[in-house]
Amino acid sequence: MDPGAGIDPGTELGIDPDDLPDGLVVADEHGRVVCFNAAAARITAVPASEALGRRLESALPLEDLEGRRWWQLTEPYGGLAIRNGQPERNLLLPGGREVLVSARYVRTNPAGPVRRVVVSLRDTEARRRTERSHAELIATVAHELRSPLTSVKGFTATLLAKWERFTDDQKKLMLETVDADANRVTRLIAELLDISRIDSGRLEVRRQPVDIGAAVGRHIQAYVASGQSADRFLLRIEQPLPALWADPDKIDQVLSNLLENAVRHGEGTVTIDVAPSASPRERGDDESTASTATVASAANAATSVTVSDEGTGIPEESMNRVFTRFWRGSKRGGTGLGLYIVKGIVEAHGGTITVGRAPGGGAEFRFTLPVGTPAYLL
């Protein structure tokens, strides 16, 4: 640390204050600043050389959100002798910049005079980003719910008021629309629950044997049944595949999202490759040289699924944002939450997911899942 920083870190603190991620300001028994670390200088935009030796209220002029001067309000060197500090709260630096501040009053004995005032400073930018993300989530949910609920309310009110005026075919059409909109609301609520569990680390994975090739086949058949051409899909399965233990419902959710993206936003043939792989945690640069049999029989075996299309693909500058909340590959609807949930599900299984450019020029998503047997069966 700079010799002018006031405190010898080796004897007073045990570490270099400049190595701390948060701002640290220490004032002595006379209220003079004796430590002003690099993070404090960055947060306050005041050089340490200007702060050292000055009185605390001058070097760190803080106000509360009502405009009151903080050090005059709290009187760290006066007042009740049983006080030991101030809890973290939002305060304002000159210019109105918010900062999170907490303070500790160090006494030689419980009722003695204050020998040190130790102040911690934290930038609020990370918290602001979280708050903005939450606000954006609420706005997105409100927008997505408004349309189907308006439709449901409109059709049900119309049917109740004028039931006898409609033919059976008209009633059926309106009820089918209500049913589809109700399903849309249900899916959105399920997405919100998934996001909540992912963010809190509480996403449960109930592992069962999963035939991943058959699961992909079912999704393809559903698209064909809904009117897509069977020629648009190419499923390639490399055998032998190791036995995969995963949550079948959540794997269906991953496959559904990736295939829907390829069908809706991609073009040409949608190719799905299922193959044995090295475990995501064990994979090395020499993976491509390992034989299929060796990979499939290894204790660290995994299964990889690659979904690619022949569309325009994802711009290079957007690749690092694909799995974040609210990312949309186009303006054609959707909440922008699907790929965020997909990544959370794959990682909850201990796997990995990547995005890149397919050989045909479109987008290519590849997720890899370890295939270990659940612990209770070992």
Side-chain angles (χ1 to χ4, degrees), residues 64-298:
D64 66 12
L65 301 182
E66 297 177 3
R68 297 174 295 183
R69 295 186 177 181
W70 183 243
W71 300 119
Q72 292 181 7
L73 189 66
T74 57
E75 292 187 290
Y77 293 94
L80 296 174
I82 60 172
R83 293 188 306 170
N84 59 13
Q86 294 290 334
E88 186 176 74
R89 65 192 66 204
N90 261 21
L91 297 176
L92 301 176
L93 291 167
R97 182 182 177 188
E98 288 189 19
V99 63
L100 293 171
V101 181
S102 58
R104 175 78 177 176
Y105 305 156
V106 181
R107 306 174 188 271
T108 52
N109 58 71
V114 173
R115 309 298 298 177
R116 288 277 192 274
V117 174
V118 181
V119 183
S120 172
L121 305 175
R122 288 200 299 145
D123 201 324
T124 61
E125 184 57 32
R127 193 177 75 170
R128 284 181 177 277
R129 285 196 298 269
T130 300
E131 290 173 349
R132 284 196 298 269
S133 178
H134 289 166
E136 190 174 356
L137 178 61
I138 291 171
T140 298
V141 170
H143 175 76
E144 292 294 328
L145 284 174
R146 184 184 298 116
S147 177
L149 289 178
T150 300
S151 172
V152 168
K153 176 62 178 175
F155 279 122
T156 53
T158 300
L159 286 170
L160 287 171
K162 303 177 181 180
W163 179 265
E164 301 297 336
R165 299 186 186 181
F166 297 108
T167 66
D168 288 345
D169 287 342
Q170 289 173 323
K171 293 173 184 177
K172 181 180 179 182
L173 176 62
M174 285 190 279
L175 288 173
E176 286 175 344
T177 304
V178 168
D179 183 61
D181 285 333
N183 287 337
R184 181 177 167 190
V185 172
T186 301
R187 286 195 301 271
L188 180 58
I189 292 172
E191 285 185 345
L192 294 177
L193 291 173
D194 285 336
I195 287 175
S196 174
R197 294 179 183 123
I198 290 169
D199 287 347
S200 62
R202 294 185 292 107
L203 187 66
E204 294 184 4
V205 174
R206 302 181 185 276
R207 295 182 183 271
Q208 301 175 31
V210 174
D211 186 337
I212 191 71
V216 175
R218 287 194 300 272
H219 283 277
I220 293 175
Q221 290 171 7
Y223 275 108
V224 173
S226 66
Q228 290 286 335
S229 170
D231 293 337
R232 190 175 181 190
F233 300 94
L234 173 60
L235 173 59
R236 300 184 297 206
I237 302 176
E238 184 178 340
Q239 298 289 357
L241 289 175
L244 173 64
W245 286 79
D247 188 316
D249 292 336
K250 290 182 171 55
I251 296 305
D252 270 342
Q253 194 174 351
V254 170
L255 293 173
S256 175
N257 196 292
L258 295 181
L259 286 170
E260 182 181 2
N261 279 346
V263 171
R264 289 181 60 190
H265 306 301
E267 298 173 4
T269 302
V270 176
T271 303
I272 306 98
D273 289 295
V274 182
S277 174
S279 170
R281 297 179 181 177
E282 303 293 338
R283 188 187 304 116
D285 294 337
D286 60 345
E287 177 186 354
S288 59
T289 63
S291 68
T292 299
T294 301
V295 171
S297 62

Side-chain angles (χ1 to χ4, degrees), residues 6-22:
I7 289 181
D8 179 357
T11 59
E12 296 278 352
L13 299 178
I15 60 170
D16 188 337
D18 285 345
D19 291 337
L20 297 175
D22 294 336

Side-chain angles (χ1 to χ4, degrees), residues 292-310:
T292 299
T294 301
V295 171
S297 62
N300 62 344
T303 296
S304 69
V305 179
T306 305
V307 179
S308 57
D309 62 74
E310 298 174 340

